[in-house]
Amino acid sequence: MNNIFDKIQESAEFINSKTTVKPKIGLILGSGLGVLADEIEEAVKIKYNEIPNFPVSTVEGHAGQLVVGSLQGKDVVAMQGRFHYYEGYTQQEITFPVRVMKALGVDTIIVTNAAGGANIDFKPGDLMVIKDHINLSGNNPLIGSNDNRLGPRFPDMSTAYKPNFVQLVKDCAKELDMEIQEGVYAFFSGPTYETPAEVKMARILGADAVGMSTAPEVIVASHSGMDVIGISCITNMAAGILDQPLDHEEVIETTQKVKAEFLSLVKTVVNKI
Ligand SMILES: O=P(O)(O)O[C@@H]1C[C@H](O)[C@@H](CO)O1
Ligand SMILES: Nc1nc2[nH]cnc2c(=O)[nH]1
């Protein structure tokens, strides 16, 4: 079996053999944010290493399993742990699960991440609804031959993050009496955190947050015709803004501090979709 279409079908058939749930909403849970998957009821958990053609998570804070079940009365499939370009996977490999979610029946995907605040008005602990992204990785998951069954050769990205869904997230935050930022997410390959000069460049380019994921998944989700919602947890100020070094422990620590707010917001959004 060599083409991606057959691999997607094989992975989807394997997952469908483990559960009768037909999820309509997909969730990709970023570093330290996997706790949301523990709220999924009647959960069927499938380790990534059991699923044909799936990569495996290698990063602390990423459990490495697919969780299918019910959240807020909706049938969902969640990636408890994601794959990153910096782990050495291709952008096609890190976005393969999005293709599989589409094959399972998902038509709306919520992509979350931990990100650094490049906008100096942000503070660690902020949640940001993503209104657009800047792909600074120099790569793209759609490079290579295009299988028209998966999507168009030249996809439009004008409203990859649909304004009505951005507004939905803001309305949910307001309903929860929660402050929320709105902004642009810049995708760097990682694994290094940015230099102060790179953060300044990103800010000049219009970015409000910097991260190492999300954009490839959104490109493929949009290519597949899914509606996309992006939410960043601003876990630290990006390099050069505060006079302190960055580390992954701080990232995980901050996600644990804001997990109650993060859980409330995402569950409210799921309920309203
Ligand atoms: O998977 P996400 O983008 O949430 O994780 C971010 C990016 C790196 O993986 C990690 C760096 O601390 O946090
Ligand atoms: N690229 C990047 N990813 C992050 N994830 C959490 N914080 C950061 C950051 O400052 N930069």
Side-chain angles (χ1 to χ4, degrees), residues 69-266:
S70 176
L71 185 68
Q72 297 289 307
K74 304 284 177 68
D75 290 333
V76 302
V77 53
M79 283 182 70
Q80 194 170 30
R82 59 137 59 83
F83 311 116
H84 304 87
Y85 191 37
Y86 64 73
E87 292 177 73
Y89 293 119
T90 65
Q91 292 198 10
Q92 285 80 2
E93 286 170 330
I94 63 176
T95 57
F96 181 78
V98 176
R99 298 289 188 195
V100 175
M101 284 184 175
K102 175 72 177 181
L104 293 173
V106 168
D107 51 28
T108 305
I109 190 166
I110 302 174
V111 188
T112 70
N113 61 60
N119 182 322
I120 54 175
D121 295 333
F122 286 13
K123 62 188 181 307
D126 279 352
L127 296 180
M128 180 188 89
V129 59
I130 302 175
K131 67 178 181 182
D132 206 350
H133 75 231
I134 301 171
N135 176 3
L136 295 173
S137 72
N139 202 334
N140 189 301
L142 302 183
I143 288 175
S145 61
N146 185 68
D147 184 327
N148 289 320
R149 292 172 291 184
L150 301 178
R153 170 75 280 185
F154 300 107
D156 170 50
M157 290 291 286
S158 309
T159 54
Y161 302 83
K162 287 203 173 51
N164 59 310
F165 280 102
V166 171
Q167 190 55 50
L168 172 69
V169 175
K170 291 164 73 175
D171 293 346
C172 290
K174 191 176 171 74
E175 189 183 299
L176 294 164
D177 197 20
M178 197 185 281
E179 293 287 310
I180 190 162
Q181 303 288 3
E182 176 181 353
V184 174
Y185 174 94
F187 168 47
F188 285 82
S189 69
T192 50
Y193 290 115
E194 294 68 36
T195 64
E198 286 167 341
V199 173
K200 184 179 174 188
M201 172 198 75
R203 187 163 49 242
I204 291 167
L205 291 174
D208 299 285
V210 292
M212 305 181 197
S213 69
T214 301
E217 293 103 316
V218 169
I219 289 168
V220 166
S222 186
H223 182 245
S224 314
M226 288 183 192
D227 287 325
V228 173
I229 295 170
I231 297 173
S232 292
C233 175
I234 305 299
T235 53
N236 55 283
M237 293 313 289
I241 295 175
L242 301 178
D243 186 15
Q244 63 186 54
L246 280 66
D247 66 50
H248 193 54
E249 283 63 45
E250 176 198 5
V251 167
I252 299 296
E253 220 173 84
T254 308
T255 59
Q256 299 319 298
K257 284 183 193 155
V258 300
K259 76 179 166 184
E261 272 203 341
F262 172 76
L263 286 173
S264 304
L265 180 61
V266 178

Side-chain angles (χ1 to χ4, degrees), residues 16-76:
N16 282 326
S17 74
K18 302 289 183 187
T19 173
T20 55
V21 170
K22 297 296 176 219
K24 301 299 284 176
I25 298 172
L27 295 147
I28 301 181
L29 302 174
S31 286
L33 302 172
V35 61
L36 181 74
D38 298 333
E39 308 252 333
I40 294 174
E41 295 160 2
E42 298 140 56
V44 171
K45 300 181 179 182
I46 311 167
K47 286 279 181 207
Y48 293 153
N49 60 19
E50 292 173 18
I51 307 173
N53 313 308
F54 253 54
V56 290
S57 294
T58 68
V59 177
E60 182 209 342
H62 290 262
Q65 61 187 2
L66 210 60
V67 184
V68 188
S70 176
L71 185 68
Q72 297 289 307
K74 304 284 177 68
D75 290 333
V76 302

